[in-house]
Amino acid sequence: MPRVVNISDLRRVAEANLPRAVFDYIDGGAEAEVTLRENCRAFEEVTFRPRNAVAVETTDLRTTVFGAELSMPLLLAPVGFTRLICPRGEVRAAEAAAKAQIAYVLTTISGSAIEDVAQASKGCRWYQLYLVGGREAAEAALGRASAAGFSVLAITIDTGTFGLRERDIRNGAGALIGDNLLRKLRFLPQVLAHPLWLAGFLRDGRMLVLPNVIVPGRGPLPLAETQASLAKSVVTWEDFRWIRKVWPGPIVVKGVLTGEDARRSLDEGAAGVVVSNHGGRQLDGVAATLRALPEVVKAVGGQAEVFLDGGIRRGSDIVKAICLGARAVLIGRAYVYGLGAAGEAGVARAIQILRADLQRTLALLGSKSISELNRSYIDVPAIWASEPRPKT
Ligand SMILES: Cc1cc2nc3c(=O)[nH]c(=O)nc-3n(C[C@H](O)[C@H](O)[C@H](O)COP(=O)(O)O)c2cc1C
């Protein structure tokens, strides 16, 4: 892919390759998409303070996350219905992550079974939990994930109800994943205009069930029931007690945007938090994650790992997040655009772009190692300094 120089190039190729409704499902955010845009814009507001006249021949990007060594501080975020984008999408992405020695996070609402992902990828793997299908289905999935070598559990806490994704509603995207063929007819023109995608989708043929949500006495949950089930089964702090009993490894809370939720996560036994607003897909109007990061880092006070996702499109964005205290970052759209552009090779390309960006940014900053980065390498706008808030 010689013409693909950055993640926006991958996005353009994905847009050309995918039916409109599938592309919008990936690309879109909630309501007016203010938070979606802000996530990216916040990175532009932070500027670098390089140490020049320093020779940097090699750069060390390695880091460890809960004892696992990663070649760079990057994880592929959980993305629901990845199989809609590319045949066996979760397996392909996990393979690309393992080859690049970074971590992969498998969503509950995956079209690929936990065991299939584990078999294809021996790399560092986390499992992300939604309570879709209820508590018994979740317990069964956690047992399978742990047995299959998923080492960390990420619990997503920002889906109390569905964000209003206006593009999906206009496109009627719900019907895409349902099993009502008549309702799918509306997609015929856009699908026929993308015969390669259609051939892959039909060949894959496993889109209509969620193999990791086995409802006791019923088998895998049909995709069409996901929305209703998700809306009824929000994860609450009360759930953490039983989850801790059934999950033996570290727990990371995904969807933390305030110091209060960060401290509550620690109280509930979390070993890490992900500063995340679900890529601007849930509550529109919440702050960009980069802006929320310093408050969370301060509240955590070094007692847990802090991760960040949302808006990362360049390696320099990763450097800025690390300078503000993140241990590592997760990317969602950046790799999913790659998946839509060229399957596993596209994911590999996204990772390669970010790795080269990281190496170059470190060298230009005059730093040899990711572990040297700190707040002194960046300036943040004065307006970011937060006013003291009343205690809640
Ligand atoms: C198409 C799509 C599906 C997603 N599905 C999930 C999911 O199943 N579980 C979850 O915790 N987060 C999900 N997310 C949110 C991502 O894990 C991540 O927080 C977000 O994509 C980060 O923002 P970015 O896309 O700007 O990198 C999804 C995001 C996208 C774009």
Side-chain angles (χ1 to χ4, degrees), residues 22 24-28 36 39-40 76-82 85 105-110 128-130 154-159 165 230 254 274-281 308-313 330-337:
V22 176
D24 277 346
Y25 160 67
I26 302 168
D27 195 56
L36 173 67
N39 274 349
C40 292
L76 302 190
V79 167
F81 313 126
T82 316
I85 302 155
V105 191
L106 178 67
T107 171
T108 295
I109 48 176
S110 145
Q128 177 263 323
L129 183 72
Y130 282 138
I155 304 178
T156 299
I157 59 163
D158 57 10
T159 51
R165 310 205 185 129
L230 261 178
K254 177 173 181 282
V274 184
V275 178
S276 173
N277 51 35
H278 220 102
R281 297 163 77 80
L308 170 139
D309 73 23
I312 288 175
R313 305 289 183 266
L330 288 72
I331 50 168
R333 294 182 184 82
Y335 88 84
V336 176
Y337 293 142

